[in-house]
Amino acid sequence: MEETVYNQEELYEMLDSLLREPEGFWTDFYQDREKSIPFFKNAPDENLVSYHTQRLIKPGKVLELGCGPGRNALYLAKMGWEVDAVDLSSTSLQWGEERAAENGIHINFIHNNIFNLEIAEGAYDLVYDSGCFHHIAPHRRLSYTGLITKALKPGGHFGLTTFCPGGKFGGAVISDWEVYRSGSLQGGLGYDKARLERIFSCLEPVEIRNMIDQDNSSQVFGLSDLMAALFKRL
Ligand SMILES: C[S@@+](CC[C@H](N)C(=O)[O-])C[C@H]1O[C@@H](n2cnc3c(N)ncnc32)[C@H](O)[C@@H]1O
């Protein structure tokens, strides 16, 4: 490789190369399905369920970013949404396909990096991300917000759950500059309400709060060390 930066994409690729390679990590991550990982439980996010219960969102077309084994995609499909669910890990998608087949549900699982998606302008009523955004490097954040505003119809919603700063499961409290000095996202970045409002200032906040903890018997997933946010595209 020549290692000369001629354009923006090459600059991003150079910065990516300073950090952990995500695809190999996430493919290995799902090899052992018995690991004690909170989100391996097949239960949808409590906030996503509450958006339905409160009628803040109603079924249409949804794009899920970093869907993993598809627990939220499954819920959305059961609620009547047409679901496109993207992840770069083939092992997570295989698991998701199996879960969908067991439930007799169709989900359009897409094996891709979210930044390589070809998205038609205004194609979606909802974009949902549970746990992918905090693994996105700072230099990709503008592409991420651009992807969301492009994907959403006017009046469409963006739902997010993400590490809060210093949480039990992750949420590094480091500056963006420190990410590159240390060569690591340190397991995922932490975001508080003010930072989320600023990053997603192109959207209108509807609700930003901590997720509500759930016990083992719950049919939904919730950890108060995660922030749950819903925004609307004007
Ligand atoms: C913490 S897991 C959450 C999985 C799932 N959303 C859930 O809550 O069960 C983060 C997921 O994001 C995916 N991911 C990370 N960066 C991605 C990218 N650039 N494009 C697509 N998927 C990505 C990973 O492969 C992983 O499955």
Side-chain angles (χ1 to χ4, degrees):
M1 196 200 274
E2 192 186 349
E3 296 196 345
T4 304
V5 171
Y6 293 109
N7 57 45
Q8 183 173 284
E9 189 48 35
E10 287 169 1
L11 171 63
Y12 287 178
E13 282 171 14
M14 185 268 285
L15 292 169
D16 285 342
S17 77
L18 300 177
L19 306 171
R20 179 181 76 190
E21 196 278 305
E23 185 163 353
F25 172 84
W26 286 109
T27 300
D28 289 349
F29 187 82
Y30 294 101
Q31 297 284 5
D32 176 6
R33 298 181 185 179
E34 305 307 319
K35 272 193 300 199
S36 171
I37 302 290
F39 67 84
F40 278 14
K41 180 177 168 180
N42 189 6
D45 289 339
E46 63 77 14
N47 54 297
L48 181 58
V49 174
S50 93
Y51 302 152
H52 279 105
T53 316
Q54 295 178 71
R55 298 186 190 285
L56 294 174
I57 54 173
K58 59 175 194 315
K61 195 165 177 196
V62 57
L63 172 66
E64 188 181 2
L65 303 173
C67 63
R71 59 193 179 83
N72 288 308
L74 250 84
Y75 168 76
L76 287 162
K78 281 182 190 163
M79 294 300 290
W81 290 80
E82 188 187 330
V83 185
D84 289 340
V86 189
D87 204 288
L88 48 69
S89 155
S90 55
T91 46
S92 75
L93 295 179
Q94 176 60 36
W95 193 359
E97 298 272 15
E98 288 169 32
R99 282 176 168 172
E102 281 159 20
N103 285 273
I105 277 172
H106 173 71
I107 291 167
N108 180 29
F109 285 109
I110 302 165
H111 184 207
N112 207 344
N113 189 314
I114 58 169
F115 298 114
N116 295 335
L117 289 174
E118 303 264 332
I119 294 179
E121 187 115 21
Y124 294 96
D125 301 283
L126 174 68
V127 177
Y128 194 70
D129 174 334
S130 183
C132 178
F133 173 68
H134 52 223
H135 296 295
I136 299 301
H139 64 279
R140 294 274 177 187
R141 217 178 271 139
L142 283 177
S143 309
Y144 184 95
T145 51
L147 186 167
I148 284 159
T149 44
K150 181 175 181 199
L152 283 177
K153 290 177 185 163
H157 288 87
F158 168 55
L160 174 71
T161 73
T162 185
F163 288 143
C164 65
K168 203 166 31 181
F169 300 92
V173 188
I174 53 171
S175 70
D176 287 347
W177 288 30
E178 187 56 26
V179 167
Y180 301 95
R181 275 193 292 262
S182 66
S184 171
L185 291 164
Q186 303 190 15
L189 303 177
Y191 293 94
D192 61 14
K193 183 169 185 278
R195 219 169 154 212
L196 290 175
E197 281 172 345
R198 186 144 183 207
I199 290 168
F200 297 104
S201 60
C202 51
L203 303 169
E204 182 182 68
V206 177
E207 179 185 272
I208 306 180
R209 60 169 171 82
N210 286 79
M211 264 184 130
I212 301 167
D213 275 320
Q214 305 294 316
D215 62 29
N216 271 346
S217 62
S218 177
Q219 300 296 302
V220 294
F221 171 88
L223 293 172
S224 58
D225 278 344
L226 297 176
M227 297 299 293
L230 184 68
F231 296 87
K232 185 173 183 170
R233 191 187 152 191
L234 296 175

